[in-house]
RNA sequence: GGCGGCAUAGCCAAGUGGUAAGGCGACGGAUUGCAAAUCCGUUAUUCCCCGGUUCGAUCCCGGGUGCCGCCUCCA
């Protein structure tokens, strides 16, 4: 079985083959840092992280790059020359650089909380101006771009494949329907590589003018090339990035390098909230802080966002969050029970019992992940394991095999199950022992009091015929 | 207006041209000093609607409806 991924470029699932054996070059479209990232953003970043983790599970080295866009996003295409960061800065009466530093820091904290593995590098657009200018100059030289005053545009008509990714064609693009076409453009679909505006705060002098800043798409082309090379294996982003952003990246990079850019384009469907689009007006653009404030661990959010396959719409509600929490705790419980069964507690008599079942579950999990990261199917495979261990159908060595798989493969990808052996401090150990004594004396008032006290400390006790078991709430 | 995705039980979510995984929740029972956990049982006869192809469709085709995305620098 090989890893099969859906490629937006071809609209088919394809076997994944990296350019270089054993190495995968992957670029993830990251955040524009002018505000707090919301849970919808994280669906895309958790998808990218899952992809990276699964590739690593299959033994390859992943060179992963995620950009931080800290400059250059215009609010609109009119003549305002204002970008989101500058606009936010104006609102808050702060320096735009300070704004982008602030939100970058919070973004890094958020992804850490979600258990997202750090990328190899998080390049900032503002630190790659020379690389962008180099590409722009190259495109001008090759005749793919033209200068209009102090601006530079990419000439879409020179790139016949423009529209291949999104299914749009230049002639069908309803250009000018909602925005005014700038007169200096040769074609309405031409897009900016470099813009100029004296009022801009974040700007760089070039031979095009004193007050220039990069167009939106060029930063990703330049940073992908700088950190991964002319050609890459995978490029990811949200579904909204397909057009125009990724379409434009392809045009720029391929015209500049003369080679195909990314072999696989993978896009995450949007997260819906309360059955529809999340909106500031409805107040449901939740951040991690909102989730934590409601009493959920960030890892529960991670699991919640992995409930659905990344290419199908996924809905978020607090009730669904509750459910995710329960399911995740059941996976924690699976891990704890496997650890006990490994030592013979709650295990089948024959050590080898259930080995075949464990192998089947592993195979099913692997097959599910290999099928375009079908995480819900993969989680279902783990549930089979849980049923087996609850029914004490796994022997010690089968449980050890299952635990090995859970820790070193399944949770390497899911990244949110508690799989570590946990220990109690002596004081709690003593309290548990004291409760057992009280129960023996049939002093249930005392035993229940101790149980409540421990519960308040997050320790849940279960009395089984074979003794007491504890777990963290 | 153009292009694309999705629609499966109370909820979440897989899946297949041959009659529907799994989970959460709920209900009934067992177990328990009481709980919790666990076990047993119950929980989809239009798989959005209407046509068509087929011996047979939830799955294929056509037409609707709904939600979502892009065509505006929102993942």
């Amino acid at each position: 079985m090989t890893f099969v991924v859906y490629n937006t470029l071809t609209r088919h699932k394809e076997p994944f083959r990296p350019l270089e054996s054993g190495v995968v070059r992957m670029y993830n479209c990251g955040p524009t840092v002018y505000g707090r990232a919301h849970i919808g953003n994280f669906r895309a970043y958790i998808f990218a992280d899952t992809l990276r983790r699964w590739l690593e599970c299959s033994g390859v080295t992943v060179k992963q790059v995620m950009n931080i866009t800290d400059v250059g996003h215009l609010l609109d295409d009119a003549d305002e020359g204002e970008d989101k960061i500058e606009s936010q800065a104006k609102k808050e009466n702060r320096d735009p650089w300070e704004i982008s530093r602030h939100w970058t820091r919070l973004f890094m904290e958020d992804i850490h909380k979600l258990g997202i593995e750090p990328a190899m590098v998080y390049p900032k657009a503002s630190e790659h101006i020379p690389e962008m200018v180099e590409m722009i100059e190259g495109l001008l030289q090759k005749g793919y771009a033209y200068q209009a005053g102090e601006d530079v545009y990419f000439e879409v008509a020179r790139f016949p494949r423009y529209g291949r990714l999104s299914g749009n064609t230049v002639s069908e693009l309803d250009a000018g329907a909602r925005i005014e076409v700038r007169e200096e453009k040769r074609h309405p679909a031409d897009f900016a590589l470099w813009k100029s505006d004296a009022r801009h705060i974040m700007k760089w002098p070039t031979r095009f003018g004193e007050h220039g800043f990069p167009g939106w798409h060029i930063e990703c082309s330049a940073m992908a090339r700088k950190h991964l090379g002319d050609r890459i294996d995978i490029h990811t982003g949200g579904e909204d990035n397909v057009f125009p952003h990724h379409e434009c990246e392809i045009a720029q990079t391929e015209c500049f390098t003369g080679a195909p850019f990314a072999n696989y384009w993978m896009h995450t469907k949007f997260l819906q909230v309360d059955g529809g689009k999340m909106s500031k007006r409805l107040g449901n653009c939740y951040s991690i802080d909102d989730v934590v404030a409601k009493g959920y661990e960030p890892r529960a959010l991670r699991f919640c966002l992995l409930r659905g396959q990344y290419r199908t719409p996924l809905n978020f509600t607090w009730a669904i969050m509750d459910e995710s929490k329960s399911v995740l705790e059941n996976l924690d419980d699976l891990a704890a029970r496997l650890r006990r069964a490994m030592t013979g507690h709650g295990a089948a008599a024959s050590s080898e019992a259930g080995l075949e079942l464990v192998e089947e579950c592993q195979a099913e999990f692997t097959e599910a992940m290999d099928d375009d990261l079908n995480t819900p199917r993969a989680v279902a495979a783990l549930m089979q394991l849980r049923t087996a261990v609850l029914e004490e159908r796994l022997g010690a060595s089968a449980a050890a095999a299952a635990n090995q798989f859970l820790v070193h493969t399944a949770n390497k990808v899911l990244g949110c199950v508690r799989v570590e052996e946990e220990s109690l401090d002596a004081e709690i150990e003593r309290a548990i022992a004291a409760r057992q004594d009280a129960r023996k004396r049939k002093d249930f008032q005392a035993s229940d009091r101790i149980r409540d006290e421990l519960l308040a400390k997050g320790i849940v006790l279960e009395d089984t015929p074979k003794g007491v078991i504890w777990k963290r709430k």
Side-chain angles (χ1 to χ4, degrees):
Chain A
M1 184 69 189
T2 49
F3 187 28
V4 170
V5 299
Y6 181 86
N7 190 351
T8 307
L9 198 58
T10 57
R11 286 159 210 257
H12 287 291
K13 284 187 188 175
E14 301 172 2
F16 178 73
R17 300 251 179 283
L19 288 161
E20 180 187 342
S21 176
V23 180
V24 174
R25 292 173 173 79
M26 173 161 83
Y27 187 92
N28 308 128
C29 262
T32 302
V33 282
Y34 65 94
R36 191 72 186 270
H38 53 67
I39 57 177
N41 299 119
F42 291 122
R43 185 182 192 194
Y45 304 135
I46 287 173
F47 155 70
D49 184 54
T50 307
L51 176 57
R52 171 251 178 94
R53 285 166 174 260
W54 185 240
L55 286 166
E56 286 180 340
C57 279
S58 62
V60 301
T61 301
V62 180
K63 292 188 175 178
Q64 183 189 16
V65 176
M66 179 178 281
N67 62 294
I68 302 287
T69 293
D70 58 353
V71 66
H73 277 205
L74 296 182
L75 273 179
D76 55 54
D77 209 14
D79 226 346
E80 297 306 315
E82 185 174 58
D83 76 24
K84 291 192 166 182
I85 294 166
E86 297 222 355
S87 162
Q88 191 65 30
K90 209 175 282 178
K91 253 186 249 166
E92 298 181 25
N93 198 21
R94 288 162 75 185
D95 177 351
W97 295 106
E98 196 185 320
I99 296 280
S100 66
R101 271 197 305 274
H102 172 72
W103 295 115
T104 299
R105 204 190 68 238
L106 279 181
F107 175 74
M108 299 309 285
E109 286 174 13
D110 283 350
I111 62 176
H112 176 74
K113 284 178 192 160
L114 285 169
I116 290 174
E117 295 281 352
M120 182 178 78
V121 58
Y122 291 91
K124 291 189 172 75
S126 62
E127 293 169 4
H128 292 74
I129 301 296
E131 288 83 355
M132 296 188 220
V133 172
E134 180 196 351
M135 286 187 86
I136 295 168
E137 291 285 11
L139 289 167
L140 279 167
Q141 268 169 30
K142 292 184 180 183
Y144 291 110
Y146 58 90
Q147 204 172 336
E150 298 187 347
D151 298 342
V152 183
Y153 289 96
F154 184 91
E155 188 164 13
V156 165
R158 295 291 320 277
F159 187 63
R161 288 198 301 281
Y162 191 80
R164 185 180 157 203
L165 181 72
S166 59
N168 288 321
T169 59
V170 172
S171 59
E172 278 169 8
L173 283 172
D174 194 10
R178 292 195 281 177
I179 56 168
E180 223 166 293
V181 177
R182 305 197 65 185
E183 286 156 19
E184 71 264 30
K185 284 192 192 180
R186 292 183 189 165
H187 186 282
D190 289 351
F191 57 90
L193 296 168
W194 194 258
K195 306 264 289 178
S196 292
D197 188 318
R199 291 167 297 178
H200 238 244
I201 299 167
M202 296 188 279
K203 57 190 179 185
W204 293 262
T206 62
R207 73 171 179 89
F208 312 122
E210 285 305 301
H211 311 289
F213 54 95
W216 173 32
H217 318 294
I218 194 68
E219 103 252 14
C220 283
S221 285
M223 294 192 287
R225 180 167 170 265
K226 163 88 178 284
H227 297 281
L228 295 170
D230 285 356
R231 299 186 62 184
I232 66 173
D233 295 297
I234 305 174
H235 196 125
T236 74
E239 59 175 325
D240 58 321
N241 281 151
V242 176
F243 191 91
H245 186 49
H246 290 164
E247 196 76 76
C248 295
E249 282 186 50
I250 292 174
Q252 295 162 345
T253 298
E254 299 195 355
C255 288
F256 179 81
T257 66
F261 182 24
N263 283 149
Y264 301 89
W265 290 83
M266 299 175 74
H267 295 96
T268 316
K269 276 280 181 297
F270 269 25
L271 179 74
Q272 290 178 233
V273 175
D274 301 327
K277 202 197 306 201
M278 71 176 83
S279 75
K280 289 201 175 88
R281 191 174 55 80
L282 294 172
N284 59 14
C285 294
Y286 304 122
S287 73
I288 293 205
D289 288 348
D290 295 320
V291 172
V292 170
K294 288 253 187 189
Y296 301 100
E297 298 172 89
R299 70 184 186 109
L301 175 63
R302 179 184 177 96
F303 185 75
C304 184
L305 297 176
L306 288 170
R307 271 175 316 131
Q309 203 266 352
Y310 74 93
R311 276 192 302 116
T312 57
L314 189 70
N315 189 26
F316 177 94
T317 63
W318 292 112
I320 291 170
M321 191 63 210
D322 255 344
E323 184 196 312
S324 301
K325 183 187 173 199
S326 297
V327 177
L328 182 56
E329 283 170 355
N330 282 158
L331 289 176
D332 296 344
D333 182 63
L334 164 65
R337 284 176 195 269
L338 285 176
R339 288 194 298 271
R340 285 199 290 274
M342 282 164 66
T343 61
H345 297 284
S350 160
S351 177
E352 308 290 306
L355 261 180
E356 201 174 311
L357 179 102
V358 171
E359 280 164 20
E360 280 168 15
C361 290
Q362 290 182 16
E364 170 60 14
F365 183 96
T366 303
E367 206 176 298
M369 292 305 291
D370 273 342
D371 182 16
D372 199 26
L373 302 181
N374 194 332
T375 44
R377 207 180 126 196
V379 169
L382 298 181
M383 286 301 173
Q384 300 304 301
L385 225 44
R386 179 158 193 268
T387 304
V389 75
L390 283 173
E391 292 174 355
E392 304 197 355
R393 275 159 41 212
L394 300 186
S397 63
N403 187 248
Q404 168 81 10
F405 179 73
L406 183 64
V407 175
H408 296 287
T409 301
N411 196 48
K412 269 280 194 291
V413 196
L414 299 177
C416 48
V417 183
R418 261 190 212 147
V419 294
E420 294 80 24
E421 191 79 55
E422 294 182 278
S423 58
L424 289 176
D425 54 54
E427 185 193 344
I428 289 176
E429 296 263 25
R430 276 197 298 276
I432 292 174
R435 174 171 173 275
Q436 291 305 88
D437 281 346
R439 291 185 70 218
K440 264 181 207 148
R441 296 193 311 270
K442 299 213 186 291
D443 181 356
F444 297 122
Q445 211 174 348
S447 71
D448 287 355
R449 180 178 46 75
I450 296 172
R451 184 171 63 192
D452 289 345
E453 285 169 4
L454 288 174
L455 184 62
K457 291 176 183 168
I459 304 293
V460 182
L461 297 183
E462 293 175 22
D463 297 321
T464 76
K466 289 172 184 168
V468 66
I469 288 173
W470 63 271
K471 64 181 178 186
R472 284 189 203 282
K473 202 181 168 205

